[in-house]
Structures are given as structure tokens and as C-alpha cells.
Amino acid sequence: IQRIDADDDIPWANTIPTDAVTATEIIPRFGPGAAYVPCKKKLPAGTELQIFHEEQGYVMADFKFPGDRQPTRAWIPLVCVANYQSVDFQVFVTATPAPTPKPTPSPIPITRYSTFDTAGNITAFVDSRDRLWLCGQNNYGQCGTGRKGNNVFSSRRILENVVDVQLGFYFGTALDADGNVYAWGRNEYGSVGVGSESTKTVTKPTKIKLGDVVELAAGDEHALAMISDGSLYAWGRNQRGQLGNGSTKNGYSPKKITTPGEVMSFTAGDYNTALILTDGTLWMCGDNSRGQLGLKASDKPVTSFVQLPLQNVAQVSVGDYHVVALTEDGKVYTWGSNEYGQLGNWQLDDKESQPQLLVKMDNVRAVNAGDYHTFVLCHNGDLYAFGRNDNGQLGNGETANAYQPQLVQTDVREMDTGYAHTVVVKNDGTIWGAGRNEYGSLGLEETGLYTDWTRLVPLPY
């Protein structure tokens, strides 16, 4: 509604909807004077009016009798006028203004990358030009910037020609296109693999003595590498037998280990190592304090690989004290500690040594275990989460633990999770994060908890 002062500029905006009769001059608040015609004459429906004033149930208007060239000014009963409103003797007509153009926001660019990894309180991306970028906690130089003690809140480039990156809690490893392995960060237990027990920290990527590598994995403080002939090498902390070399002695440089068969894939958890053989069987070594190895829980380290009661295993991921596995038919199994609900079934005991089918979870594409939480990604892009959530790492808008799977994201292509933060890539290429950013793990300038998914731009564009 547009208000217009009552003058000659008022548009011809009103019509007579039904036949009406003009009124004889009355005594209005403002007298019409000689210019107004006192008459009674029938006006046909549809006659256009130009209204100037309203008084006592009448409007003063110009109109044309049929056949007239010049308008006549007279009073018309208000009830005979359509589409008319007035307040304080000012005329209102309906107007449809053109839409106000909205400013076009500057689009956030799509980050181009080839791979990424999260672990502990750090995040790494390899961009489309094979350059490695890291952000997050840096108290042991685990961001590889050449110094330690200053957390990195905006990703820093640290290495070129990289094809893969695998992070531990306090260290990182990278594989270049020539099959060389670089490592950096805390080396107190040999995690960096430089061969020196006296070297406690390595703040820049350093090449270790291992070549022709085709695949890497990193646990909390140990790492593994496979070379082109299928041989597997391990180094780092071994207090709980996680190197699988028959001892509990730390390894300060890569050493070949004996495997129970031809290895299809391998992964490292905080205190465990897991192998999937080409026949689909699952083998593990290391800590068994929560029944992670499919055996009765015990504090005694298991230094050689033992087989678990699962067949046709396609993927496995190991957290602090729990394990999640995906079989070839899309089924999910969990076992180990359930202290925070990380097994996805509140009915399970805290020390569940036998793999348990995660009900109502099928058609699954990938699984990922954080330290005390778990993510399950379905083929349709739905992402489910459960377990510890005190830092919002599940991305469900809360900080309460989840004891059963909750849908937390959709249209997801890839995901990975660390100690208290999670990163996902959606099908449109956008990158989102949730959880704790106290150390810059999400690459955001503002610290705090991000319990809802927040758009990340971890690489320059």
C-alpha cells in the first residue's frame, strides 16, 4: 500500500464495481465550493475514478459520464468504490514495487585437493598441485613448520610432490611420488623413524631410510609402510606390542615385520595394528585391555598377529580402545570399549571382545574410528555418528554422548576424524568441520567448540 497526498497527481486507481448514483452536495469538513457539481446521476459499473478526498462516508472524485470528454467532479458513496483505503484524508493505493535487488555474496571457492587426513589435534590436506598443508596443535612440531610451541590456525605449506599423508597424534608422515617417506613431530618413542633415540622432536619433514613405498598408515605413536613387493615395515612406540614384531621394544627406524599372509590393506590405531589379508580375514596385534583383539580382555600385550572371527572384511578402523569393521556386503561390526557409546549399541558391555553386528546399519561404504567415537558413511551419502561428543566432534549440534547411530550429515563423499574434531567433504566439493578448534585443528581463526558443521577453506585458492 502506497500513501499519496490528495492532489491532482493521484492516479486513476479506483473503479465502480456496480452501478452507482452520484450524490447531491453535502456539507463536508472542507466545503467543495462551486467547483463541485451537485447532481444525482447513475454511473455504470467499471467507471474509473480519480479520488481526492473522503468525508462522512463519501469520496470526492473526478469521473466521466458516458460520452463526456471532460471529467465531472462529485461525491460518490464510499461503499460503491472498490480497492480504496484512506487514513487521515490521505489516499492509499495498492502498488507492487519492483523487487529490491539483493547483493550477490562473494562465492566461497571450492577447495581443490587430492587427499586429506585428521588425527589427534591436527589436520592435513594435499592440494591438487601435490603440496602438503597442515594446521593444528604444534607443541611437538607435528605441523612440520620448522618450529614447535605455536599452534597453527591457518594451514601452512610444508612439503612438495606429496601423494599421501598419514597423521599420528603427535607426528605425521607423508609419501612422495618417488616412493620416499618423510616424517616429523614427536620422536620420543621413535615415531618419526629417524633412527635416533636421542632425537626427541623433528620439526620439519625429514626423509627416513625407507624407499619404494606404496602405502602408509599411522597410529597414535607408531607407523607402518608397505613397499612395492608387499613387504610391511613398522616403527615407533611398541609398549603394547603394536608393531607386531614379537617384542615390546620401541622401534626407532623402520624394520620389516612378519605378516600372517599376503596383506591387502593395513591400518594403525592408538595401540593396535590391523591387517586385512587378500582372503578377507582380519588380523590384529597390540593392546587387548578392552578385548580389541577378539580375545578375553587382558592387560598383557599381544606382540604377534592373531586372527579375529570375521570373514570377508573390506575395511577396518581402530580407535583408542575400540574397533569398527566393514564387510564386503556392507555390514558394520564393532567391538572393544563402549564407555562412551562408541560401539553404537548401548546394550553392549564396556569390554565387548567379540565383533557385534551394528543393527540397522547396512549399505555402508566406509567406517572411521576416532579415539572414543565412530562414524559410518552410507552409499547414499548419509553420515552417522555415535560415541563421545564432549567437544561436539559428532557434529550433531550437541555435546552429549550418543549411544546409538545418529544421522549427522548428508551428501557426504569423504570423512575423517581425529581426537576431538571431524572433517567431511560433500559431493559438491565443499569441506566442513565440527568439534574442537582450541589448537586450530579446523583451520579456523576463532577457538572454541563447533558443535554444528562449519564451512572450511583449508587451502589457498
Side-chain angles (χ1 to χ4, degrees):
I1 301 299
Q2 180 184 7
R3 186 170 68 181
I4 303 175
D5 290 336
D7 58 26
D8 288 343
D9 292 328
I10 298 175
W12 292 73
N14 300 97
T15 60
I16 298 291
T18 59
D19 292 347
V21 177
T22 60
T24 304
E25 180 179 344
I26 59 174
I27 303 174
R29 184 175 301 176
F30 303 99
Y36 300 94
V37 180
C39 65
K40 285 189 176 181
K41 192 172 182 179
K42 184 177 180 180
L43 291 179
T47 302
E48 293 184 339
L49 306 175
Q50 187 180 26
I51 298 173
F52 296 95
H53 187 60
E54 174 191 349
E55 290 287 344
Q56 301 179 17
Y58 288 82
V59 293
M60 180 177 64
D62 281 354
F63 54 90
K64 291 182 180 179
F65 291 111
D68 288 354
R69 291 185 175 182
Q70 298 298 324
T72 297
R73 182 168 293 179
W75 295 94
I76 308 295
L78 185 60
V79 295
C80 296
V81 182
N83 302 321
Y84 171 72
Q85 300 180 60
S86 70
V87 175
D88 195 22
F89 309 113
Q90 290 180 311
V91 177
F92 285 74
V93 295
T94 302
T96 305
T100 303
K102 296 182 180 179
T104 303
S106 300
I108 299 177
I110 300 297
T111 299
R112 305 299 178 186
Y113 75 98
S114 59
T115 188
F116 75 99
D117 194 48
T118 65
N121 296 305
I122 50 180
T123 300
F125 274 85
V126 178
D127 68 18
S128 56
R129 297 169 59 184
D130 300 332
R131 301 176 301 181
L132 175 61
W133 302 74
L134 277 100
C135 63
Q137 190 176 25
N138 197 41
N139 54 332
Y140 291 103
Q142 58 264 50
C143 283
T145 60
R147 58 186 301 180
K148 62 179 182 178
N150 294 317
N151 298 326
V152 179
F153 288 86
S154 182
S155 297
R156 297 276 298 275
R157 189 177 73 189
I158 68 166
L159 195 61
E160 311 283 334
N161 197 34
V162 175
V163 296
D164 191 24
V165 58
Q166 295 292 318
L167 303 176
F169 204 105
Y170 295 116
F171 77 104
T173 63
L175 175 64
D176 73 10
D178 300 317
N180 299 309
V181 177
Y182 293 80
W184 60 93
R186 184 180 181 182
N187 192 53
E188 184 176 351
Y189 304 103
S191 309
V192 180
V194 293
S196 172
E197 186 174 352
S198 60
T199 302
K200 301 302 181 184
T201 57
V202 178
T203 60
K204 296 183 69 174
T206 301
K207 186 188 296 186
I208 64 177
K209 295 181 180 180
L210 186 64
D212 202 22
V213 174
V214 295
E215 190 174 346
L216 287 175
D220 206 35
E221 294 183 283
H222 72 290
L224 298 101
M226 178 182 284
I227 64 174
S228 59
D229 66 0
S231 300
L232 199 61
Y233 288 74
W235 65 96
R237 191 169 189 176
N238 195 33
Q239 180 183 0
R240 305 188 191 185
Q242 54 262 54
L243 299 187
N245 59 8
S247 76
T248 56
K249 184 179 179 180
N250 297 330
Y252 290 89
S253 59
K255 300 293 182 184
K256 184 178 179 179
I257 61 175
T258 301
T259 62
E262 185 179 357
V263 177
M264 180 178 69
S265 65
F266 57 96
T267 189
D270 284 11
Y271 309 111
N272 296 92
T273 295
L275 311 176
I276 300 175
L277 303 188
T278 53
D279 62 4
T281 57
L282 175 62
W283 300 70
M284 294 182 64
C285 65
D287 183 66
N288 190 48
S289 59
R290 300 295 189 277
Q292 303 98 295
L293 303 185
L295 306 171
K296 184 179 179 180
S298 170
D299 290 331
K300 183 179 180 180
V302 178
T303 61
S304 298
F305 290 97
V306 296
Q307 185 178 357
L308 280 86
L310 271 181
Q311 301 294 324
N312 301 317
V313 180
Q315 185 188 356
V316 63
S317 185
V318 185
D320 244 30
Y321 299 103
H322 79 290
V323 188
V324 54
L326 173 65
T327 55
E328 293 176 357
D329 59 358
K331 303 295 185 182
V332 178
Y333 293 82
T334 59
W335 64 97
S337 174
N338 198 34
E339 180 181 1
Y340 299 98
Q342 58 264 51
L343 301 188
N345 188 337
W346 61 271
Q347 294 178 329
L348 296 181
D349 295 334
D350 179 41
K351 299 178 183 179
E352 184 58 58
S353 62
Q354 294 298 303
Q356 301 291 321
L357 177 65
L358 189 61
V359 295
K360 299 181 181 179
M361 281 277 97
D362 53 15
N363 198 29
V364 173
R365 172 156 49 103
V367 294
N368 194 278
D371 283 50
Y372 302 98
H373 59 286
T374 307
F375 281 88
V376 174
L377 177 60
C378 297
H379 279 283
N380 64 358
D382 287 348
L383 183 65
Y384 291 83
F386 43 94
R388 189 171 182 175
N389 194 36
D390 54 335
N391 291 287
Q393 55 264 52
L394 301 188
N396 62 358
E398 303 177 1
T399 56
N401 300 334
Y403 292 86
Q404 290 184 317
Q406 294 185 2
L407 179 64
V408 297
Q409 258 288 15
T410 59
D411 201 33
V412 174
R413 186 175 74 204
E414 296 178 74
M415 52 88 185
D416 199 17
T417 186
Y419 176 75
H421 73 291
T422 305
V423 175
V424 303
V425 181
K426 305 197 79 172
N427 285 320
D428 62 3
T430 57
I431 301 172
W432 302 77
R436 185 173 69 184
N437 192 51
E438 178 183 356
Y439 306 105
S441 313
L442 297 175
L444 301 170
E445 292 296 332
E446 293 189 12
T447 61
L449 303 185
Y450 290 80
T451 60
D452 292 308
W453 297 101
T454 302
R455 176 77 186 274
L456 308 181
V457 185
L459 297 173
Y461 48 88

